[in-house]
Amino acid sequence: MTSDSLVNSSNASLKDTCSPEAQHMSLAVILCLVYLLGLLLNGFSLWVFTCRIHKWNSGAVLQFNLALSDAIITPLTPLMAAYFAMDSNWIFGNFACQLKIAVLSIHFKGSVVFLTLISIHRYITVVHFKRPSLMKRKTFVKKLCAGIWCFLIIIGIAYGWMLPVTTEENHGQCLTIHQTTLIDAYFVLNFVTFFFWCILPLTISVFCYSRLASSISRINRNSVQGQLVKTKSLRMIGICLVIFGLCFLPLNVVRTLGVVMKKYHPERCRVLLQLETAYYACYILAGINCCLDPLIYFFGSRNFIKAFRSSLRVIGIKRTAENKIESDTLSVNRNVIFTVS
């Protein structure tokens, strides 16, 4: 082989090497803003569930667990933002990476499974309201949720253990397509996740909500109560399907494209980097799920609506009282000043 051939081969090898690239800072900023808003909304929802709703039904139990699964991701958001800000270089060590992967797994899978259970519960309580069902029993739903949390934690720990930090081109990599030694693990885990935590739940939800929509279409429109139930149910159907279609489906599709491209066409570096950026954008899009889920509580639970409105009244009364105290104090101070002078 000639020297020119060796040089060309070396250049091709370097060209085919896909080095990690820094992501735009806007990703970090938008990520923090989205999850901060999600924290505020879900924190308020958890407060309403725990402090303002005294009698829970089975639906409220599912909604509380959905809010909890949305809220647990927020403490790890600064790590992701710092990763973007530090030229896509993970510097926080292996344990922090595995913890991030575990919590991300619990968060996304928990959100999907509890959204699916809410769709099943809504379908059973509306379409089959006369039939007895375990999903209508609060005790059973509590045990079901506890079992789901145990299952999610086990899966999260397993994911974190299988996907440690690796060093690629002097960059620490955590949960990225640049981890060449883990591409087979990513490939298998991706398709397991894509089927069991995206396609299957989406299919179940579409079936339940299509039957629900068909059922509520027969509600008497002349009745004010019937029209109210129909409007709220349709809004809830729309929100749930938007969450699946807008937040979870793009993330799974782009991730699948990324791992397939990395496994079978690793030389297509520019395409891989574009898919990586698209994946992070879809990750932020998936975070919008945390901001949309509180709408489900509002449209899906009368107790939540009542507690929400009473909470606003309490806050309004407190503010009015505080303003009155402040104005009275100012009046007294002015009178004292005028008297002294």
Side-chain angles (χ1 to χ4, degrees):
M1 183 178 292
T2 64
S3 60
D4 291 340
S5 299
L6 289 172
V7 171
N8 292 334
S9 176
S10 176
N11 290 337
S13 178
L14 290 172
K15 185 179 179 181
D16 292 345
T17 301
C18 198
S19 302
E21 286 189 355
Q23 299 295 325
H24 199 276
M25 276 298 298
S26 60
L27 287 176
V29 174
I30 297 173
L31 179 74
C32 291
L33 291 176
V34 167
Y35 279 101
L36 176 61
L37 179 60
L39 174 64
L40 295 175
L41 293 174
N42 286 286
F44 179 74
S45 299
L46 289 171
W47 176 76
V48 170
F49 278 120
T50 55
C51 300
R52 307 300 298 177
I53 299 179
H54 304 293
K55 292 183 179 180
W56 288 12
N57 55 24
S58 55
V61 173
L62 292 173
Q63 291 165 9
F64 171 81
N65 282 275
L66 176 60
L68 190 60
S69 68
D70 286 340
I72 61 173
I73 189 60
T74 308
L76 292 180
T77 301
L79 293 181
M80 284 295 297
Y83 171 75
F84 292 140
M86 294 179 179
D87 298 334
S88 298
N89 183 24
W90 185 266
I91 63 170
F92 304 106
N94 192 54
F95 176 76
C97 173
Q98 292 176 319
L99 178 63
K100 184 196 87 169
I101 294 172
V103 175
L104 275 175
S105 172
I106 294 170
H107 161 64
F108 283 121
K109 290 177 174 58
S111 296
V112 169
V113 73
F114 288 120
L115 274 171
T116 307
L117 287 176
I118 287 173
S119 67
I120 294 172
H121 178 268
R122 193 72 176 176
Y123 163 72
I124 291 174
T125 54
V126 175
V127 179
H128 301 293
F129 63 94
K130 292 183 179 180
R131 298 180 185 178
S133 173
L134 290 174
M135 289 297 292
K136 298 178 183 179
R137 299 180 184 178
K138 184 174 68 174
T139 304
F140 170 78
V141 173
K142 283 184 175 180
K143 293 178 180 178
L144 177 63
C145 291
I148 289 171
W149 278 110
C150 293
F151 181 63
L152 292 174
I153 291 171
I154 292 172
I155 290 180
I157 293 173
Y159 273 45
W161 177 75
M162 288 187 290
L163 303 173
V165 173
T166 61
T167 302
E168 311 287 341
E169 300 292 328
N170 296 321
H171 280 65
Q173 296 295 295
C174 173
L175 199 64
T176 72
I177 60 172
H178 300 291
Q179 295 176 281
T180 306
T181 57
L182 300 177
I183 188 58
D184 290 332
Y186 278 126
F187 189 82
V188 174
L189 292 176
N190 170 77
F191 280 97
V192 170
T193 301
F194 193 23
F195 178 76
F196 287 103
W197 305 101
C198 182
I199 299 300
L200 184 60
L202 179 60
T203 303
I204 294 172
S205 296
V206 169
F207 169 78
C208 290
Y209 284 127
S210 61
R211 293 294 305 275
L212 178 60
S214 176
S215 178
I216 64 176
S217 65
R218 296 190 292 270
I219 294 177
N220 185 6
R221 294 184 179 183
N222 298 325
S223 168
V224 176
Q225 183 67 22
Q227 186 63 32
L228 184 62
V229 171
K230 182 176 181 178
T231 301
K232 288 185 176 181
S233 296
L234 288 175
R235 287 176 180 174
M236 185 176 175
I237 292 171
I239 292 168
C240 288
L241 295 182
V242 164
I243 289 173
F244 270 108
L246 180 67
C247 299
F248 295 131
L249 190 58
L251 181 73
N252 283 274
V253 170
V254 173
R255 187 185 62 239
T256 301
L257 292 175
V259 297
V260 169
M261 186 67 68
K262 180 66 176 179
K263 184 173 177 63
Y264 295 108
H265 300 283
E267 74 281 358
R268 304 289 295 275
C269 186
R270 181 49 49 192
V271 176
L272 282 170
L273 293 174
Q274 290 173 346
L275 285 171
E276 182 185 22
T277 302
Y279 173 77
Y280 291 135
C282 290
Y283 174 82
I284 294 173
L285 196 62
I288 298 176
N289 152 68
C290 298
C291 306
L292 294 177
D293 283 343
L295 295 177
I296 295 176
Y297 319 144
F298 191 81
F299 293 123
S301 173
R302 291 183 180 178
N303 291 334
F304 186 87
I305 296 174
K306 292 178 181 178
F308 175 78
R309 289 175 177 171
S310 65
S311 301
L312 292 181
R313 292 193 196 100
V314 169
I315 294 172
I317 291 172
K318 286 182 178 179
R319 286 182 177 175
T320 303
E322 289 174 357
N323 292 334
K324 188 175 185 305
I325 291 172
E326 289 179 1
S327 62
D328 290 345
T329 303
L330 288 173
S331 299
V332 170
N333 290 338
R334 287 173 183 170
N335 292 334
V336 170
I337 292 171
F338 290 146
T339 304
V340 172
S341 52

